[in-house]
Amino acid sequence: MEEKKGFTITYEYGGNLYVNTTNRCNFNCEFCLRHNGSGGSIYTHNLWLTREPTREEILADIEKWDLSKYEQLVFCGFGEPSYRIEDICWVIDRMKEHGTNIFTRMDTNGTGSLIHGRDIAPDFAGRFDMVSVSLNTDTAEKYDALCHPQQKGAYQAMKDFAKELCKYVPKVMMTVVDTIPKEEIENCRRICEDEVGATYRVREYIED
Ligand code: SF4
């Protein structure tokens, strides 16, 4: 099916302002909202981009809103936002220069360092208040079957990245959805809290 594409960079959802930075992703998760084709998903916006916005366009699109209305500014993507880490850092730096004070978050699959071939965790220092990393499951085998990462070793790389991020970001959260078995939820809690040292969150599954 041919998707209709648009140019929605920012959109409001649940009291936050979300920033759609990219459609690129190195995963092909079974549960990805992009599989519905429309790009509309639960957010009602078409998040397929005709092209990636430039960093100047991202900044202008954020700054057109009254940012005092929102709890968080969330860098995500209809894809994996860490592809745009350098541009996102540039945007946040310009916002700080302009005197904007807003809680910043990134939602990521946690493989940005694998994508870029360098440790990107230090880039988050002083720029992000929170990062949410999708842990998804408790073993590399299940992770590969569920997320179909392009790179080998993605599960370990994701955990290593989350651990490294804890040095630079006040709140690092790892998430699973509440549809996985109870035992798996508890295994993931141990991985998150004991192995990584992050905050654990079991998210409610939202039907698309
Ligand atoms: S990491 Fe996110 S955007 Fe990428 S395939 Fe998985 S759910 Fe979709």
Side-chain angles (χ1 to χ4, degrees):
M1 187 202 316
E2 195 189 341
E3 317 102 15
K4 275 213 212 129
K5 294 193 172 183
F7 205 57
T8 300
I9 305 173
T10 54
Y11 56 96
E12 299 169 292
Y13 184 71
N16 298 331
L17 187 68
Y18 284 76
V19 191
N20 178 26
T21 51
T22 187
N23 287 160
R24 282 181 282 170
C25 192
N26 57 329
F27 283 17
N28 187 17
C29 302
E30 301 279 336
F31 52 83
C32 184
L33 296 174
R34 307 188 312 168
H35 289 150
N36 75 7
S38 71
S41 80
I42 54 174
Y43 308 114
T44 72
H45 296 282
N46 177 6
L47 298 177
W48 287 113
L49 296 159
T50 43
R51 61 173 172 81
E52 283 199 345
T54 64
R55 57 193 191 175
E56 289 84 2
E57 286 171 330
I58 294 171
L59 178 66
D61 218 75
I62 293 170
E63 290 188 331
K64 76 183 182 191
W65 300 90
D66 172 7
L67 295 175
S68 66
K69 285 195 318 188
Y70 306 107
E71 284 172 32
Q72 300 180 359
L73 181 67
V74 186
F75 290 86
C76 54
F78 207 46
E80 170 47 42
S82 59
Y83 274 98
R84 301 294 308 271
I85 186 64
E86 281 153 18
D87 292 327
I88 290 170
C89 289
W90 181 90
V91 167
I92 292 174
D93 290 348
R94 295 297 81 72
M95 287 174 62
K96 283 184 188 294
E97 281 172 11
H98 299 167
T100 305
N101 187 20
I102 186 167
F103 188 99
T104 50
R105 183 180 115 202
M106 181 186 280
D107 290 352
T108 173
N109 68 17
T111 60
S113 294
L114 204 56
I115 289 168
H116 290 281
R118 68 176 180 90
D119 177 15
I120 66 166
D123 297 9
F124 288 73
R127 296 188 172 107
F128 281 90
D129 297 294
M130 176 173 163
V131 179
S132 180
V133 178
S134 302
L135 175 57
N136 289 322
T137 187
D138 58 348
T139 70
E141 292 70 26
K142 282 192 239 172
Y143 190 77
D144 287 351
L146 188 66
C147 301
H148 309 287
Q150 286 169 7
Q151 297 94 342
K152 285 205 172 90
Y155 188 63
Q156 189 60 46
M158 174 272 296
K159 290 191 293 178
D160 291 346
F161 175 69
K163 190 168 186 170
E164 192 64 16
L165 264 187
C166 292
K167 296 182 195 164
Y168 303 103
V169 177
K171 187 160 192 178
V172 177
M173 185 171 274
M174 298 185 92
T175 64
V176 299
V177 290
D178 60 4
T179 48
I180 63 174
K182 279 209 168 61
E183 193 190 339
E184 196 171 333
I185 287 179
E186 285 317 304
N187 289 342
C188 288
R189 181 188 304 282
R190 275 193 293 278
I191 291 166
C192 172
E193 294 177 352
D194 302 343
E195 201 179 313
V196 174
T199 303
Y200 190 50
R201 178 163 173 242
V202 182
R203 290 189 291 121
E204 190 187 346
Y205 176 74
I206 301 170
E207 192 109 32
D208 184 30

